[in-house]
Amino acid sequence: MGYESFQDHLEKRTLDDIMEDYDEQRDEWITELWTENGFVKSFRHRNGRTFYCEQIDDYTVDEKIAKVLDGKTVEAQMAYYFVTESRRLYETAFSEITKEDLSEKAVSLSDYEGVVELLLKGKILVGATIRGNAGPEKLLPGKSVCICFASDREDSGTKDREDDICLLFAEK
């Protein structure tokens, strides 16, 4: 391709042509993958965040989860996990609960800001280490972790707040 034909090519390009080229190259510069001994140590997610991975030995992977996730990249496996948060507000008068409020929401594991690192059993994603109330804690499916606890103890009773999160696996 000569200079004139290249200049002609550039002038005739549309926005769709440019975006198509950009999309083809996205995987080349976005996905930064670091492996060690065949296991993923870190990668850059499509959302721009870098996730670090740790192998976990003392955990048995559910067969159903392993079957669904087998052969997928860690990034693709993250799409199956969601974090739910429940917030409980208690007002107690002399140890009697008079009011309780519970609100829940779910967010994708890749979008949850409290992730410190991902937990892998071999090449299967099984959970994450998150910032808990008492420091880093392992968040595994079906296990809740307290991320915040506050108490206002007055003479007439107490007002407590407890925020817990839970990791859910959802088949698509």
Side-chain angles (χ1 to χ4, degrees):
M1 180 183 299
Y3 177 75
E4 285 100 24
S5 60
F6 181 70
Q7 186 176 5
D8 189 44
H9 167 74
L10 288 178
E11 289 174 359
K12 291 182 179 178
R13 292 181 66 180
T14 66
L15 181 60
D16 290 334
D17 294 333
I18 294 169
M19 292 309 292
E20 185 176 320
D21 288 345
Y22 173 79
D23 189 48
E24 288 174 0
Q25 297 174 8
R26 185 194 62 74
D27 287 338
E28 294 174 15
W29 61 267
I30 272 287
T31 305
E32 295 176 2
L33 182 66
W34 173 39
T35 61
E36 189 175 280
N37 298 326
F39 297 111
V40 176
K41 296 298 281 180
S42 74
F43 67 95
R44 183 180 302 264
H45 194 276
R46 290 178 190 267
N47 65 10
R49 292 179 59 195
T50 298
F51 289 96
Y52 296 92
C53 304
E54 176 188 338
Q55 288 293 321
I56 184 172
D57 295 325
D58 57 343
Y59 184 77
T60 304
V61 182
D62 183 278
E63 290 179 24
K64 178 183 167 186
I65 292 175
K67 185 177 178 182
V68 172
L69 299 181
D70 190 36
K72 293 179 175 56
T73 65
V74 177
E75 181 176 357
Q77 293 178 44
M78 289 182 80
Y80 290 87
Y81 286 99
F82 294 89
V83 176
T84 63
E85 182 177 331
S86 64
R87 182 171 294 123
R88 294 181 191 91
L89 303 173
Y90 302 100
E91 287 185 29
T92 61
F94 306 105
S95 300
E96 180 182 337
I97 296 176
T98 58
K99 179 181 175 186
E100 179 178 321
D101 177 38
L102 174 67
S103 64
E104 289 189 1
K105 62 180 182 175
V107 65
S108 173
L109 180 61
S110 61
D111 294 330
Y112 183 69
E113 294 295 325
V115 174
V116 176
E117 62 188 357
L118 301 175
L119 299 173
L120 302 173
K121 176 74 176 199
K123 296 184 179 187
I124 304 294
L125 177 65
V126 296
T129 301
I130 54 101
R131 289 188 294 268
N133 186 49
E137 293 194 45
K138 292 180 181 177
L139 180 63
L140 301 167
K143 177 188 171 204
S144 65
V145 173
C146 179
I147 58 171
C148 177
F149 181 79
S151 181
D152 178 18
R153 302 195 187 277
E154 301 173 350
D155 292 338
S156 62
T158 65
K159 293 181 182 177
D160 295 336
R161 174 182 171 163
E162 182 178 333
D163 295 356
D164 295 324
I165 61 170
C166 186
L167 185 65
L168 301 175
F169 179 81
E171 246 186 279
K172 291 188 176 193

